[in-house]
């Protein structure tokens, strides 16, 4: 018989989490984006975590941490109730429902706060995840980072207001 995986949990971001979240961010980029981005593109992308703006985004957004046995394994940051700013899952748990758990929590919070939509700048490797969760591509972007350019897609999902959800159930 297979062994049951520990049940993941969710909690808010704490400033002490920053070093672990930087590790998750860097590992995720290094191991999960190689088919879509070159090594030099990955390096400039990972370097963004060294900037104070990374910590500020986490602190100023509604940031949720996914944990397994108390250890962070992923995170999502929601800005202004409708923009997914950062969303990364450690490669060791990719494909195990951690990303879906994080996303579902943010969608419920955004809808409860009256957000009409969710918007995200999505890397090429994350496109299938967002499409599976009902996002529609809006436009293709090329983002300058240092001497590199990264291709992303702006995606949007219209949300059903919480009141409407209650009426239809």
């Amino acid at each position: 018989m297979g062994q049951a995986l520990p049940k993941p949990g969710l909690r808010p971001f704490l400033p002490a989490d920053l070093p672990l979240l930087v590790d998750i961010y860097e590992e995720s980029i290094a191991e999960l984006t190689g088919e879509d981005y070159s090594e030099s593109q990955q390096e400039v992308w990972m370097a963004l975590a060294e900037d104070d703006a990374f910590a500020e985004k986490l602190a100023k957004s509604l940031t949720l941490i996914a944990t397994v046995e108390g250890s962070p394994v992923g995170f999502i940051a929601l800005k202004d109730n409708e923009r997914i700013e950062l969303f990364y899952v450690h490669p060791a748990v990719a494909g195990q429902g951690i990303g879906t758990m994080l996303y579902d929590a943010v969608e419920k919070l955004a809808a409860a706060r009256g957000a009409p939509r969710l918007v995200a700048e999505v890397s090429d490797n994350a496109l299938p995840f967002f499409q599976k969760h009902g996002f529609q591509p809006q436009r293709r972007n090329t983002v300058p980072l240092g001497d590199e350019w990264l291709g992303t897609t702006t995606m949007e999902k219209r949300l059903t207001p919480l009141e409407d959800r209650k009426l239809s159930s």
Side-chain angles (χ1 to χ4, degrees):
M1 267 215 268
Q3 190 168 343
L5 292 174
K7 188 170 176 12
L10 279 177
R11 67 171 176 78
F13 167 73
L14 301 169
D17 293 323
L18 184 61
L20 284 171
L21 299 193
V22 168
D23 287 346
I24 291 167
Y25 173 83
E26 290 175 345
E27 290 291 323
S28 177
I29 293 167
E31 293 188 35
L32 301 176
T33 68
E35 290 184 21
D36 298 302
Y37 299 95
S38 70
E39 197 173 305
S40 56
Q41 287 173 315
Q42 290 173 311
E43 286 172 10
V44 295
W45 186 358
M46 286 187 279
L48 294 175
E50 298 166 11
D51 189 337
D52 289 340
F54 185 82
E56 283 179 35
K57 278 183 185 181
L58 292 169
K60 290 183 178 180
S61 300
L62 167 66
T63 302
L64 297 177
I65 310 284
T67 61
V68 172
E69 295 184 335
S71 296
V73 294
F75 63 97
I76 190 167
L78 182 68
K79 180 182 177 184
D80 300 330
N81 288 330
E82 69 175 39
R83 178 168 289 281
I84 297 173
E85 284 278 288
L86 296 164
F87 185 14
Y88 293 88
V89 172
H90 194 280
V93 297
Q96 297 178 23
I98 300 295
T100 295
M101 179 183 73
L102 284 164
Y103 170 74
D104 287 348
V106 160
E107 181 181 316
K108 286 176 186 161
L109 287 167
R113 293 174 174 195
R117 66 187 183 146
L118 284 173
V119 178
E121 295 298 320
V122 177
S123 63
D124 292 349
N125 60 295
L127 270 168
F129 176 91
F130 280 88
Q131 288 172 324
K132 177 180 160 190
H133 290 278
F135 280 74
Q136 299 296 316
Q138 301 299 305
R139 70 181 167 277
R140 186 75 179 146
N141 310 298
T142 47
V143 180
L145 287 180
D147 293 338
E148 296 290 334
W149 292 86
L150 266 66
T152 66
T153 302
T154 301
M155 298 191 80
E156 180 179 310
K157 179 178 182 178
R158 289 272 170 218
L159 298 179
T160 304
L162 195 59
E163 309 81 60
D164 295 349
R165 288 183 190 192
K166 288 179 183 174
L167 292 175
S168 65
S169 43

